Amino acid sequence: MTDGPRQRGNASADWDTASESSKDGSGRVALKKEIGLVSACGIIVGNIIGSGIFVSPKGVLENASSVGLALIVWIITGVITAIGALCYAELGVTIPKSGGDYSYVKDIFGGLAGFLRLWIAVLVIYPTNQAVIALTFSNYVLQPLFPTCFPPESGLRLLAALCLLLLTWVNCSSVRWATHVQDVFTTGKLLALGLIIIMGFVQICKGQYYWLEPVHAFETFQPYDIGQIALSFLQGSFAYGGWNFLNYVTEELVDPYRNLPRAIFISIPLVTFVYVFANIAYVTAMSPQELLASNAVAVTFGEKLLGVMSWVMPISVALSTFGGVNGSLFTSSRLFFAGAREGHLPRLLAMIHVKRCTPIPALLFTCISTLLMLCTSDMYTLINYVGFINYLFYGVTVAGQIVLRIKQPDMHRPIKVSLMWPVIYLLFWAFLLIFSLYSEPVVCGLGMAIMLTGVPVYFLGVYWDNKPQCFDTFIGKMTHVCQKFFIVVYPDMGESRNVGLQQGPKEDDDELGKALNPSK
C-alpha cells in the first residue's frame, strides 16, 4: 500500500515521462486509444457471456419455479442491466477516467468508499473470478481425455495456470493483440450460441414447443415464493455480470463520447436476445426436470440434437472461457492501474511500458494474485461471500449519479439520461439486496466483514501522511529498481494529470532516462 499521491521526494520514484519516446506521435508515453467500436462490443459481450449460459442456466429456472417465469426473469434482468449500463455511460463520459465504478465512487463519495470498492476487487473478486473461469476452461479441455472419470485436480490447475500465463503475455505485449483475441473468441462463442438458437428454431418448426405453450410454460414444479423469485433475479443479474467492464478502459477507447454509449446500445440487447433465445432452445429439447438435472446444459443439448457433432459444445465452452479469461485480465488490470494512479495501490502498478504502452506491472499483479487463488480450495466460497458486495457497489455507483446531479448540476455531461432510469435501477437493486439479506444473512454479513477489513488498511496505507522516512526511502528504491527491470514509466496524462499522479523531480527523470537508454 502506498502513502497516496500527496507525498513526494527524491526517493519516491515519481518521474515524469516527457523525455521518453512513445508510439502516440506526441513524444510522450501514454495509454493508446486502440479500442474501437467493434472491440468495445467484444469486451462487453465477451465479459458477460462466459461459461454460465453454456453450463448451468438452471439457477434461474430452479428459483423461478416455471419455464415461463424464468424467461420473463431473463428479459427483465436484461432490461435492468441495460438501464444500469445507460447510467454508467453517463458517468463514463462525465468522469472520463479508466477504473469504472471505483473511479466514480471515489470521486463522488470520497477516498475511503473508493478504496473499499478497490480493496474487495483486489482481494477477492477478480482473482477468484479469473481462477474459476480458467479452471472451467481447463476442465472442458481435459474432459475428453478422461471420459470415465474427472480430470486430476493438479492437471486442471496446471492448465489453468498456463492459460493465465499465456494471456498475460499477450496482454503485456500489445493492446491490439489483446483486443484481437477478445474479438475472435467473442465471435466464436456467439457462433456457438447462434447454433443453439438455430437448432431451437428447427425444433419449434418440428412442433417441439410443448414447454413454450402458455398453459405449460407457467406450470409450476414447486409453489411460487417471493424470496425464491428474488433469488432467480439475483442469479440472472450475476449471469449478466461484466456489463460495466468497458468503463474500466475508458481512456483507451477511440472517441469514448460516441463509442461508449454505442457499444452499450449494441451489446446489452444482443446479450439479452442471446440469453432469452438460448433458454428457449434448451426447453425445446429438454423438459424442466432434465434441465435441472444437468450440470452442463449446452453439452446435454448437443448430445440430444447434434449427434456426432455433439463435441462442438464442449469446445465452445472452452473457447468461451478462454476469451472470458482474456477479457477479465484486460479490464481488471486497468482497475488496479487506476487504483495505483490515485495512490490507493503501490505506484508501480500505475506505470506502463515505454514502447508497448501496456500496464505490465498491473497485468503481472493481476496474474500473480489469480495464480495464488488457484492454490486455494475455497474460491467458490469466497465468491459467494463477496457477490453481494459486488452488487452492492453497483447500486452505490448509480446512486452517485443522482448525487452528482444534485451537487454539480452545471457539470458538462456529453450524455445526460433522465433521472427516471437510475431511480428504476435503484428500486430493483434495493428489492434484490433486501431479499438477499433476508435469504442469506450469514453470507452477506461475511461479505461485509471481508470488505471492512480494508478500513484499517486505508487509514494506515493511504490516509497516514507522515510515515517514517526509512519506509518512504525503501518504497522509492524498490519502485526505482522495478521500473528499470520492467522498463516502465508513468503515462503522461496531459490535462488530466490531476487524477492523482504528480510530476516528480526532473533529476529523477533524467536518471531514469539514462537507466533505460544508456546511449544517451
Side-chain angles (χ1 to χ4, degrees):
M1 200 55 54
T2 77
D3 54 353
R6 289 166 288 199
Q7 294 199 14
R8 41 189 304 189
N10 290 340
S12 67
D14 282 336
W15 295 288
D16 198 341
T17 60
S19 65
E20 299 299 332
S21 61
S22 171
K23 299 296 185 181
D24 68 354
S26 64
R28 295 171 176 173
V29 176
L31 289 173
K32 300 164 73 175
K33 292 182 177 293
E34 293 189 337
I35 302 175
L37 180 60
V38 173
S39 294
C41 293
I43 287 173
I44 297 176
V45 175
N47 278 289
I48 294 178
I49 302 178
S51 62
I53 191 64
F54 293 104
V55 180
S56 185
K58 66 181 182 182
V60 172
L61 178 60
E62 187 175 20
N63 290 297
S65 303
S66 72
V67 171
L69 186 57
L71 293 175
I72 291 173
V73 167
W74 283 112
I75 295 171
I76 293 176
T77 308
V79 171
I80 295 296
T81 299
I83 292 173
L86 200 59
C87 297
Y88 269 60
E90 178 183 314
L91 287 168
V93 295
T94 305
I95 307 174
K97 297 193 295 186
S98 292
D101 38 24
Y102 157 71
S103 294
Y104 312 147
V105 168
K106 177 193 167 295
D107 282 7
I108 297 170
F109 295 109
L112 178 59
F115 179 81
L116 291 179
R117 175 68 183 102
L118 182 66
W119 176 251
I120 202 72
V122 170
L123 193 67
V124 180
I125 292 176
Y126 289 104
T128 50
N129 276 338
Q130 285 161 188
V132 168
I133 298 171
L135 284 172
T136 305
F137 162 77
S138 58
N139 185 61
Y140 275 84
V141 170
L142 293 179
Q143 190 60 59
L145 303 178
F146 300 88
T148 59
C149 63
F150 293 108
E153 191 72 19
S154 58
L156 289 174
R157 294 180 186 272
L158 179 60
L159 184 57
L162 291 174
C163 168
L164 284 164
L165 291 171
L166 172 62
L167 288 174
T168 300
W169 175 77
V170 170
N171 278 267
C172 287
S173 299
S174 168
V175 172
R176 193 182 300 274
W177 289 7
T179 54
H180 284 343
V181 168
Q182 194 67 19
D183 294 346
V184 169
F185 284 91
T186 297
T187 302
K189 70 178 72 176
L190 286 175
L191 289 175
L193 285 164
L195 176 62
I196 291 174
I197 292 170
I198 290 170
M199 293 299 296
F201 279 119
V202 171
Q203 286 287 95
I204 291 172
C205 292
K206 290 180 178 179
Q208 303 295 324
Y209 48 80
Y210 178 86
W211 292 106
L212 297 175
E213 296 176 351
V215 66
H216 304 300
F218 291 93
E219 183 180 310
T220 61
F221 44 84
Q222 63 186 15
Y224 286 126
D225 177 81
I226 187 65
Q228 287 189 315
I229 291 173
L231 287 176
S232 71
F233 275 107
L234 196 60
Q235 291 275 353
S237 298
F238 289 152
Y240 282 94
W243 55 268
N244 60 325
F245 277 18
L246 187 61
N247 292 70
Y248 289 170
V249 295
T250 304
E251 293 169 32
E252 295 171 80
L253 270 177
V254 176
D255 193 3
Y257 298 125
R258 298 180 63 182
N259 285 335
L260 180 60
R262 282 181 176 181
I264 289 170
F265 294 147
I266 294 170
S267 303
I268 304 299
L270 175 62
V271 172
T272 303
F273 173 86
V274 167
Y275 275 10
V276 171
F277 281 90
N279 278 277
I280 288 174
Y282 289 148
V283 296
T284 62
M286 293 177 278
S287 68
Q289 292 73 23
E290 288 177 307
L291 195 150
L292 292 174
S294 173
N295 288 321
V297 176
V299 175
T300 305
F301 178 88
E303 290 172 349
K304 282 179 170 287
L305 298 183
L306 296 178
V308 295
M309 295 293 291
S310 60
W311 53 267
V312 169
M313 286 301 121
I315 289 179
S316 299
V317 177
L319 295 178
S320 176
T321 49
F322 187 82
V325 173
N326 181 72
S328 185
L329 279 171
F330 185 85
T331 52
S332 61
S333 65
R334 268 60 177 180
L335 171 61
F336 300 159
F337 167 86
R341 189 174 61 185
E342 300 288 354
H344 286 175
L345 287 174
R347 295 181 177 189
L348 178 68
L349 301 184
M351 299 183 189
I352 64 175
H353 194 274
V354 295
K355 292 184 178 179
R356 297 188 177 96
C357 296
T358 55
I360 290 178
L363 283 161
L364 293 177
F365 176 80
T366 307
C367 179
I368 291 169
S369 61
T370 306
L371 291 174
L372 290 174
M373 278 295 172
L374 285 175
C375 300
T376 69
S377 58
D378 297 323
M379 286 183 296
Y380 296 94
T381 305
L382 285 171
I383 285 179
N384 289 335
Y385 287 158
V386 300
F388 168 80
I389 304 301
N390 201 31
Y391 203 71
L392 173 68
F393 273 104
Y394 289 165
V396 171
T397 306
V398 173
Q401 179 187 12
I402 299 175
V403 171
L404 197 62
R405 287 281 190 95
I406 296 170
K407 282 185 173 181
Q408 301 186 45
D410 299 325
M411 190 175 186
H412 176 61
R413 293 175 171 86
I415 299 173
K416 190 173 183 179
V417 302
S418 169
L419 284 180
M420 172 184 70
W421 300 120
V423 169
I424 290 173
Y425 184 87
L426 288 173
L427 289 173
F428 178 79
W429 169 82
F431 164 74
L432 288 186
L433 288 191
I434 288 169
F435 278 101
S436 296
L437 283 166
Y438 174 77
S439 302
E440 298 180 321
V442 175
V443 171
C444 295
L446 286 171
M448 289 288 290
I450 293 172
M451 180 188 70
L452 292 176
T453 59
V455 174
V457 177
Y458 173 79
F459 283 103
L460 289 173
V462 179
Y463 190 78
W464 181 22
D465 275 339
N466 300 317
K467 296 183 178 67
Q469 183 62 37
C470 60
F471 177 81
D472 291 339
T473 302
F474 174 75
I475 294 297
K477 288 181 178 179
M478 289 298 297
T479 303
H480 189 188
V481 169
C482 291
Q483 273 194 272
K484 290 195 288 185
F485 182 77
F486 293 119
I487 318 179
V488 293
V489 291
Y490 282 130
D492 183 86
M493 301 307 299
E495 295 179 358
S496 62
R497 186 174 282 278
N498 61 352
V499 294
L501 283 178
Q502 293 193 10
Q503 181 172 337
K506 181 70 173 99
E507 58 270 22
D508 285 341
D509 183 35
D510 293 338
E511 183 183 352
L512 178 64
K514 292 175 182 177
L516 296 177
N517 193 348
S519 63
K520 288 187 177 182

